[in-house]
Structures are given as structure tokens and as C-alpha cells.
Amino acid sequence: MTKKLILIVCLLSTQFAKAQPANIDISNGLLFNGEPFIAINPVNNQNLVAAWMSLNFSGGLFQITIKTRASFDSGNTWNAQQLLPHFGAAYGSADVSMAYDKTGLLYICYIDYRQQPDSGGIYVARSINGGLSWDTPSKAFDMYDVANKRPIDRPWLVVDNSSTLNSGTLYITTKPAPWIAPPNRNYFKTSSDSGHTWTPIANVDGGNFLIGNFVAAPMATPATTVNGKFCAVYPSYVATQNPLPALYLAQSNDKGQTFNYTTLFASANATLDTNCKNGYLLIAHPADSTKMLFVTPDAHNGDADISAFNTIDGGQTWTGPVRVNDDAINNGKTQDMVWASYNENGDIAVTWRDRRNAPANGFWNAGYDFYYALSYDNGQTFSANQKLSNQFIDFDSVLTQNGNDFMSCVFRGDTLYTVWGDTRNGKMNIYFSKTDRKSTRLN
């Protein structure tokens, strides 16, 4: 083989490797694993931790337990799975999220509860060794903190990593349990002692920016800024506040004692398939307090797309929606399950589940891939879309069930680390991908 031919083969192999990133099954489950979350250590970028919900059979019961795995070589290998404890008979766990503080202390937050009789709460544990082990979890929320609302659903944990007086403060946002009918509000608590004790429960919405009587599950997606602000975006519909359904941004620079509110977006609703995973996310630039990004599924073009909204003035005004997925507009193909991350330079990666390659339209019977796109201008434009998954995955009816609502990613330097659940082997398992963004850099 000539040197020229060898070079051509090597170049083709390199391009193929970039187009087909390795997908590693880190859950290896036999039943069901869903809704993963991934975190990266700010003081050791080789240290990744993944967490997810795992269905297990133990003591004669099928139980969802939170499992975690840590990697100390940038995701090439993973340590043994760790299990977070339950706090009551027949309790099940759900809705895990994690956050590192700037010293490398890792926090994990999850629900542990049961229905009928309703009991349990939200718990927080800490790891001082990069996710190899966890201390005894402490309770942050109780099922009866708001007696008739069961305020423990979909908790999101964030930590203030600024250099202000708010540094180290933990925030958790929640909403009422899914079996609670509206009117509903969202909630938050803060902790200044590493999550061992928490402030009384309080509302995120307020003033003339109330959620109203018609939003069943008003999730607040939180973020903290480099200048010490706690921020959260949530949905609302109150005609006397705004004649259109709206998304509001709440901001506090005093740990949630007071809030300022602005309107992120208001528009007539475009119907999304109720089977779609329509969660949304707010992220904040790690070094510039004026910049944030909000991403959400959106159907204003006729089918579910991934839309991005950005601000460069600290949330006072927002630009968007910008369409992130680059398949043909209104082609009947559905995108959902969005996530996003800034890297330390302020570049953005957005990830999502995508059905553009499915023969069927819509959600039902449409197989799927996972994709990503990059932005170098704070979400004003995005790169050509690229695959994260290395094979097309057939539709499975388990996708319509709970426990499959979110994927997760973190972006560091030139590398995007992503976790998601898919059914390629006939069961929902958690897959990890490490992707070099150099192959999609905008010039």
C-alpha cells in the first residue's frame, strides 16, 4: 500500500470516527434505566459523574433506585455503580440532578417517596471524592411542606460558584406532584451549610408574574450567575398579566428573599404532542453575568423543533426563538428532550432526541437518534447538526412512560460529554458519548 493510499485510508477512518461517536452503555440494566444526569468536576476535568433512575427487583418489590458511576479518565472507564438509599418501606426514587461547587465538592439531589399514603421528600447527599461514595443524605423538602400540593416533583439543584457573598449557596426548585390538579405554583429552598439545613419553602413566582390557575406542572428551571444571582424560568398564563401564555424569568441577588421579574417570551400556544418530552432548560454563562440561554421544544413551525432564546443584558431582553435543528421546516419530524451546556469559554452545546431519519412522522412509531449543535455567539446561530448516537433506534412504547423525560450533557474545552436513555437493545439503558467539537467548529 502506498503512502498516499495509507493517508487517504487514515483520513477516511478519522472522518468516520467523528461521524460515529462511541456509545458506552454505563447502566447495563436488565429492566429500565432513565433520566440520566452528568456532572464534571471543575478542579479535575477528567472526573465525570453520571446518575440515573434504575428499576430493580429487591425484597419482593420492583423499586426505582438512584444509581451513580464515576470516571476519572474522561469517560473511558467507569467505576462500580453506587446506590443512593431509600428512606421508607416501599419507597421509590426519581428525578436526580447534581452540581459541583467550585472547590470540587459534589452534591446530588433526588426524590424518595411513596403514594397512598403519600410520604417522603427530597434528599441531598455530598461526595468529597468525585462520586466514588456519598455521605448520608439529608432531607431538603418534605411531602407536606405545602400540605395539599405535595411539593416534591422534578427538583433541580444548582450551586452558586460566584465570588460574591452568595458563593456556596445551594438552591432547589420544585413543583407539585403530577397527581395534583391546578392551580399550582412552583417552589424553592436554599441552603448555606452544604445542604444539611434548608430555609422554609417559598414560591418562585410572585407580584404581577404569577403562574395562574391553568398550568398543571409549572416547572422552574434554575441557574446561578457569576455575579451571584439565582435565576429561574417558569411558565404562566394569567390574562390580566399578559393576554398570551408567557415564560417569565425570576432573578434574586439576596438568596431568594426578593425577586425581580422579566418576560422571556409570550406567544399563543402551539400544540405539542403530549407524548413528547417537553422539558426546558435555562443555563448561565460561567464567566459573563450578562449572558444566558433558554432552550425548549417548540411547535410554532408546525412540528416540534428545538428553539433557543438568548440574552446579552442579564435577562432584561431576550432574542429568539432561534431554530436549532436543521432538518426541513415543518417536515412532520419531531425533536424533543433538549439539554444544553456552556463550556468555560462561553461556547454552547445543545443536545436533543431527533426523529428526522424515521419513516414515520410525529411521536408514535417514529424511531430516533440523538443529535447536537454548537453555538459560538451565545445562541444567535448554530452549527450544522451532528449525531451523538451511533445507530438508529427503533420506537418502543416505553418512551411514552414516565422516567424518560430528560437527557444531559456537559461541555468542557473541545469535548462534549452526553448521557441519554435509549432502547436499542430492547430495554431502556443509559448511554454515554464523548464527542470532539473540532469537527463541527464554525469558521
Side-chain angles (χ1 to χ4, degrees):
M1 186 179 290
T2 66
K3 289 183 179 180
K4 183 175 181 180
L5 182 57
I6 291 172
L7 178 60
I8 291 171
V9 170
C10 289
L11 287 172
L12 288 174
S13 298
T14 300
Q15 291 303 314
F16 180 78
K18 288 180 178 178
Q20 300 291 326
N23 296 171
I24 302 171
D25 183 350
I26 60 172
S27 59
N28 300 307
L30 299 176
L31 297 172
F32 175 88
N33 296 271
E35 288 189 18
F37 198 97
I38 191 167
I40 188 168
N41 193 332
V43 300
N44 176 9
N45 63 11
Q46 299 294 300
N47 176 205
L48 302 167
V49 182
W52 65 92
M53 299 161 51
S54 180
L55 180 62
N56 299 279
F57 186 75
S58 177
L61 295 172
F62 286 98
Q63 257 180 327
I64 293 284
T65 299
I66 301 302
K67 291 184 176 180
T68 69
R69 293 188 78 176
S71 173
F72 292 87
D73 58 7
S74 193
N76 294 319
T77 61
W78 293 81
N79 288 75
Q81 296 180 8
Q82 305 294 312
L83 280 66
L84 275 295
H86 296 291
F87 293 91
Y91 276 30
S93 298
D95 295 353
V96 64
S97 64
M98 296 182 291
Y100 271 103
D101 75 9
K102 61 185 178 182
T103 71
L105 176 61
L106 177 60
Y107 297 95
I108 192 168
C109 166
Y110 66 103
I111 304 167
D112 199 50
Y113 77 107
R114 66 171 294 168
Q115 278 184 260
Q116 298 177 351
D118 296 349
S119 52
I122 298 168
Y123 296 84
V124 174
R126 294 140 290 266
S127 177
I128 61 173
N129 55 14
L132 285 175
S133 61
W134 303 92
D135 70 1
T136 301
S138 47
K139 183 185 279 190
F141 285 72
D142 185 80
M143 180 76 80
Y144 293 93
D145 277 341
V146 180
N148 297 321
K149 291 299 180 181
R150 311 296 195 263
I152 65 164
D153 189 38
R154 195 52 273 180
W156 294 117
L157 168 70
V158 293
V159 60
D160 187 305
N161 283 321
S162 70
S163 298
T164 71
L165 294 176
N166 295 338
S167 180
T169 303
L170 302 179
Y171 301 89
I172 295 176
T173 58
T174 70
K175 61 185 179 68
W179 59 88
I180 302 298
N184 285 325
R185 302 178 74 181
N186 43 38
Y187 307 97
F188 77 98
K189 289 188 179 185
T190 74
S191 174
S192 299
D193 61 1
S194 299
H196 293 286
T197 62
W198 294 82
T199 56
I201 194 167
N203 298 109
V204 177
D205 69 325
N208 293 319
F209 297 85
L210 296 171
I211 289 165
N213 296 334
F214 305 106
V215 182
M219 185 183 80
T221 171
T224 55
T225 64
V226 70
N227 65 344
K229 285 188 177 181
F230 165 54
C231 305
V233 171
Y234 61 91
S236 164
Y237 182 55
V238 180
T240 55
Q241 293 175 173
N242 194 311
L244 298 171
L247 290 164
Y248 292 138
L249 170 69
Q251 295 188 87
S252 175
N253 58 15
D254 56 12
K255 301 183 181 182
Q257 296 181 59
T258 60
F259 283 97
N260 293 315
Y261 299 92
T262 54
T263 301
L264 191 156
F265 184 64
S267 175
N269 278 333
T271 303
L272 288 161
D273 189 315
T274 56
N275 286 309
C276 287
K277 306 307 182 181
N278 296 321
Y280 39 87
L281 180 72
L282 174 70
I283 57 173
H285 192 294
D288 186 341
S289 62
T290 67
K291 294 179 180 177
M292 290 182 278
L293 184 83
F294 177 78
V295 288
T296 184
D298 175 85
H300 284 90
N301 288 315
D303 56 31
D305 293 317
I306 302 302
S307 290
F309 300 80
N310 73 87
T311 180
I312 57 172
D313 59 10
Q316 297 306 302
T317 60
W318 292 81
T319 300
V322 175
R323 189 172 184 264
V324 180
N325 50 293
D326 62 5
D327 57 327
I329 293 176
N330 195 20
N331 61 357
K333 307 301 182 181
T334 296
Q335 285 80 24
D336 65 351
M337 200 183 285
V338 65
W339 203 258
S341 177
Y342 281 100
N343 72 1
E344 65 274 24
N345 300 315
D347 302 331
I348 294 169
V350 178
T351 65
W352 67 92
R353 183 169 60 186
D354 197 303
R355 298 169 183 82
R356 70 180 68 183
N357 300 313
N361 288 352
F363 185 95
W364 200 265
N365 290 328
Y368 55 100
D369 298 282
F370 289 86
Y371 274 77
Y372 73 99
L374 305 176
S375 177
Y376 300 94
D377 55 12
N378 201 56
Q380 297 179 65
T381 60
F382 286 88
S383 70
N385 300 174
Q386 300 288 333
K387 285 186 184 179
L388 291 163
S389 48
N390 60 9
Q391 69 177 75
F392 181 76
I393 305 142
D394 290 332
F395 176 82
D396 191 301
S397 61
V398 72
L399 302 179
T400 67
Q401 303 301 310
N402 293 332
N404 177 46
D405 292 342
F406 294 93
M407 65 184 301
S408 181
C409 69
V410 289
F411 195 16
R412 178 65 64 88
D414 283 327
T415 308
L416 172 63
Y417 305 95
T418 312
V419 287
W420 66 84
D422 78 42
T423 53
R424 68 183 66 186
N425 64 359
K427 298 176 288 291
M428 180 70 73
N429 273 329
I430 304 304
Y431 291 86
F432 165 80
S433 174
K434 180 169 66 172
T435 309
D436 184 349
R437 62 92 174 258
K438 291 178 182 176
S439 62
T440 54
R441 177 180 287 278
L442 293 174
N443 295 313

